[in-house]
Amino acid sequence: YNTLYLGAIESLRIAADFDLYKRPFFRNVRRFFLYCTSPIGEIKPFGDGAERGGVGGQGAALLIHHGRRFNDPACIWWAEQTGETPLADPLIPMLTEETVGAAPPSQLPLAAVFRGIGWAALHSELADPKRDTFFLFKSSPFGSVSHSHADQNSFAILKGGCGLAIPSGYYGPAYGMPHHAEWTRQTKANNCILVNGEGQIVRESRASGNIADFRHQKALSYLCGDATAAYGDKLKRFLRHVLFLRPGVFLMLDELAAPGPSEFSWLLHGFERMKMDAGARTVTS
């Protein structure tokens, strides 16, 4: 969808001297892709289509255009990492000069929070996707409507682009079909919590979350998500604390409180069967 507005924005800018790139969203959207999507990832959480790997030619074209428009070498570098042939309206590449070279985001912070949508991205090697340990977290004020799922306080982990902890299920065979509606959208399909076997409210804008806290330092990053509202009256509190000790250790603490005696299920999904060692209390993905 983000490629669709390029022609309109450029037409207004050139013909009417009306520059929508001054709007905060258009000025900053490239930062979301740099942090929240691996250019070599086999998944791109969250929501419908998360299981579809890669960013495609449109994703590469979008970041190239924004890289040129905002003189941002990291965007050009990101597009090159995808290995994709940029695909866009053939007129779009003619609107910017190829004067911005590629450079990895070596000076950028290794973590970012997007409070407006309730996402946070933690990286170990942002400038080296093949070595990067990438933790993506969601606790969104927009709830579980449209293409979003009942997955507040859920997370995904990629290592070198490979999905170790994933949102499971598929977007299909079509929107709203049984697998999509009864599994993929549901909390049970995500790395989240069930209360007495039940998850969050599905397809409800009030079933929301939020990033309650976020702090970043070079060696560690901390975040906290609050998904209490997503469970309706099933929970009185669900705070998920995550501490990332670079380059590859995550500590997670869930604060849970229910109105009455309850059983909590802690979910973890992967593409392939995990190896469990009950004695050592380990799970290998």
Side-chain angles (χ1 to χ4, degrees), residues 67-143:
R68 292 176 179 173
R69 179 58 67 215
F70 292 97
N71 192 30
D72 189 339
C75 289
I76 309 299
W77 168 88
W78 187 95
E80 290 182 352
Q81 303 308 301
T82 69
E84 299 278 0
T85 300
L87 298 174
D89 181 331
L91 293 177
I92 295 299
M94 299 174 63
L95 299 173
T96 53
E97 298 291 336
E98 294 184 33
T99 56
V100 182
S106 303
Q107 303 304 313
L108 290 181
L110 293 175
V113 62
F114 300 84
R115 295 185 182 277
I117 59 168
W119 289 34
L122 313 179
H123 293 266
S124 68
E125 303 278 351
L126 185 63
D128 189 350
K130 293 181 180 179
R131 295 178 55 207
D132 189 28
T133 303
F134 173 24
F135 183 98
L136 190 62
F137 184 84
K138 175 191 174 186
S139 198
S140 172
F142 289 104

Side-chain angles (χ1 to χ4, degrees), residues 167-212:
S168 69
Y170 295 89
Y171 179 24
Y175 186 89
M177 293 288 282
H179 173 77
H180 178 238
E182 297 170 24
W183 180 265
T184 310
R185 283 177 181 164
Q186 305 288 331
T187 306
K188 61 188 177 183
N190 294 276
N191 300 318
C192 220
I193 296 291
L194 300 182
V195 182
N196 296 322
E198 297 183 352
Q200 301 169 16
I201 304 169
V202 181
R203 299 185 64 72
E204 172 57 67
S205 60
R206 292 174 296 177
S208 61
N210 71 87
I211 303 294

